[in-house]
Amino acid sequence: MIKLLIDAHVFDGKYQGTRTYIQGIYSAMITHKDIEFYFAAQNVSRLKSIFGIAENIHYIRLDATNSIWRLAWEYPRIIKKYKIDYAHFQYICPLIKCCKEIVTIHDLLFLDFPKYFPLSYRIKNRTLFMYSAKRADLLLTVSEYSRKEIKRHFKITEDRIYVTSNCVSMVNDKIGLTDVKAKYGLDKYILTVSRIEPRKNHQMLLKAFLELQLYKLGYKLVIVGAMDLKNKTFSTLYKSMTDEEKESVLIFQASYLDLVALYKQAALFVFPSFAEGFGIPPIEAVAYSCPTLCSNQTAMAEFDFFHECFFSPYDIRELKNKIMYFIQNDVTQICEALQKEIVARYNWKNVGEKLYQLIKDDKK
């Protein structure tokens, strides 16, 4: 029996892609009864609601709220107490190695696009990420793009880096979804989903929406996401808008069930990001049958099935032309073909099985 510890502290904070990754991969893996899973976080009740109760699933309540204390003291103590064989961390492993380590480096965007990240963040994380990556017994990432960047920046051979991609977690069709018109007052709307920060390029989408005067055609622009890093360009543009224009732009956070409903009922989803280590929202949107336009940069270029749904996040004219085409024409066939491709390619069961086999092979 293998004892596997999962650092799940990300479930205690604001929603981000690493939570989707951990939830997806381990929801698929926990069916393997020859592994005992130890999920660690402060909010244990939340973890139980996600991963359930089973003989091979255990929950450990973390005491530390400080990441340094958690990595320097609490995790080494937990590993020794429970006699853990493998521990899975996102980006950064503990200072002291007490068992075999699985480390997922989702991206190195702060090294590829430094202008979008504070200097202190870049200096600290370059050292910690590289230390963790080189020390890992199993080094994972989520895309071929990130795999190549880890190789380039940290001088690690590609055969040591395994891709366990993000996937789509489909909600059961029997679950009742939110009526977005009743709850949010939405009828026709264009949707985007991500934290509001410069790298995500919300300012380009907002500018395109305003220049096309889509609000005069009855459309609203819906941005689902929290303000993360200050985006001066976006803020300046928003402040310059008229009251009529501001009434057509909604910015809020939503539960995953609400998000699924928003995907399903949107006229169009647009993802204008400059850079991603993967890019979950556009494939989620397509999986839920939403017409989608996606940036063609960095890891998103691997979504080679998007074809005419791609656009350059540096070319607002191209984006405006594609928005108008997609809202004025029937794109049902395009959406159906994309949906089949994505559901087949990005499957958590397959990714979970890959990680399971990597652990079993390493254990031999």
Side-chain angles (χ1 to χ4, degrees), residues 25 38 50-51 76 158 173 186 190 206 262 271 284 288 310 315 333 354 364:
I25 207 165
Y38 292 78
I50 293 169
F51 299 106
E158 281 193 34
D173 289 337
L186 294 171
I190 293 170
L206 178 59
L262 288 163
F271 198 65
E284 279 186 336
Y288 287 110
F310 267 147
D315 188 345
Q333 287 187 327
K354 181 175 182 177
K364 290 177 181 178

Side-chain angles (χ1 to χ4, degrees), residues 271-291:
F271 198 65
S273 179
F274 288 122
E276 296 289 329
F278 183 81
I280 297 174
I283 67 169
E284 279 186 336
V286 172
Y288 287 110
S289 305
C290 181

Side-chain angles (χ1 to χ4, degrees), residues 206 209-210 212-221 237-250:
L206 178 59
F209 179 83
L210 296 174
L212 290 170
Q213 297 187 322
L214 293 177
Y215 55 92
K216 291 186 177 181
L217 300 177
Y219 286 94
K220 291 187 176 181
L221 175 61
L237 178 58
Y238 184 81
K239 289 175 183 177
S240 70
M241 291 162 53
T242 65
D243 289 341
E244 180 187 10
E245 291 170 339
K246 286 181 179 177
E247 286 177 3
S248 68
V249 179
L250 282 73

Side-chain angles (χ1 to χ4, degrees), residues 24 52 177 180-181 183 200-201 285 287 347:
L177 295 178
V180 297
K181 186 172 185 178
K183 183 169 183 176
K200 301 293 186 176
N201 198 22
N347 185 301

Side-chain angles (χ1 to χ4, degrees), residues 43-169:
N43 193 339
V44 168
S45 59
R46 177 178 289 170
L47 294 180
K48 287 181 179 178
S49 71
I50 293 169
F51 299 106
I53 304 297
E55 288 186 3
N56 68 325
I57 300 176
H58 312 275
Y59 298 99
I60 300 170
R61 192 183 304 278
L62 295 177
D63 295 323
T65 55
N66 180 280
S67 61
I68 297 174
W69 186 252
R70 184 174 62 245
L71 292 168
W73 181 82
E74 190 164 18
Y75 271 128
R77 180 184 62 84
I78 289 170
I79 290 167
K80 289 179 181 178
K81 179 180 178 179
Y82 293 96
K83 298 179 180 178
I84 298 298
D85 299 303
Y86 288 84
H88 189 177
F89 300 98
Q90 309 302 307
Y91 293 107
I92 302 171
C93 62
L95 298 178
I96 300 170
K97 187 170 185 176
C98 301
C99 68
K100 287 202 168 186
E101 292 171 341
I102 305 167
V103 176
T104 302
I105 304 287
H106 293 256
D107 64 74
L108 295 177
L109 295 175
F110 67 96
L111 297 178
D112 297 328
F113 300 89
K115 67 179 180 180
Y116 297 126
F117 299 87
L119 178 61
S120 59
Y121 179 96
R122 303 198 308 264
I123 294 172
K124 177 190 71 174
N125 286 330
R126 179 184 177 85
T127 301
L128 292 175
F129 287 14
M130 182 162 60
Y131 172 75
S132 301
K134 287 182 176 291
R135 202 179 78 176
D137 295 280
L138 290 174
L139 178 57
L140 312 178
T141 191
V142 295
S143 66
E144 288 296 334
Y145 169 80
S146 291
R147 187 185 188 200
K148 291 174 183 176
E149 294 309 296
I150 292 169
K151 174 188 175 183
R152 182 167 69 90
H153 288 291
F154 294 163
K155 311 303 179 187
I156 298 173
T157 58
E158 281 193 34
D159 62 346
R160 277 201 59 223
I161 310 167
Y162 302 95
V163 175
T164 49
S165 68
N166 285 302
C167 300
V168 178
S169 300

Side-chain angles (χ1 to χ4, degrees), residues 199-201 204 269-276 278 282 292-303 306 309-314 319:
R199 173 173 60 89
K200 301 293 186 176
N201 198 22
M204 180 187 185
F269 178 86
V270 182
F271 198 65
S273 179
F274 288 122
E276 296 289 329
F278 183 81
T292 297
L293 295 175
C294 181
S295 166
N296 62 4
Q297 299 296 299
T298 61
M300 296 167 289
E302 293 173 29
F303 302 151
F306 269 135
C309 302
F310 267 147
F311 68 92
S312 169
Y314 301 97
L319 175 59

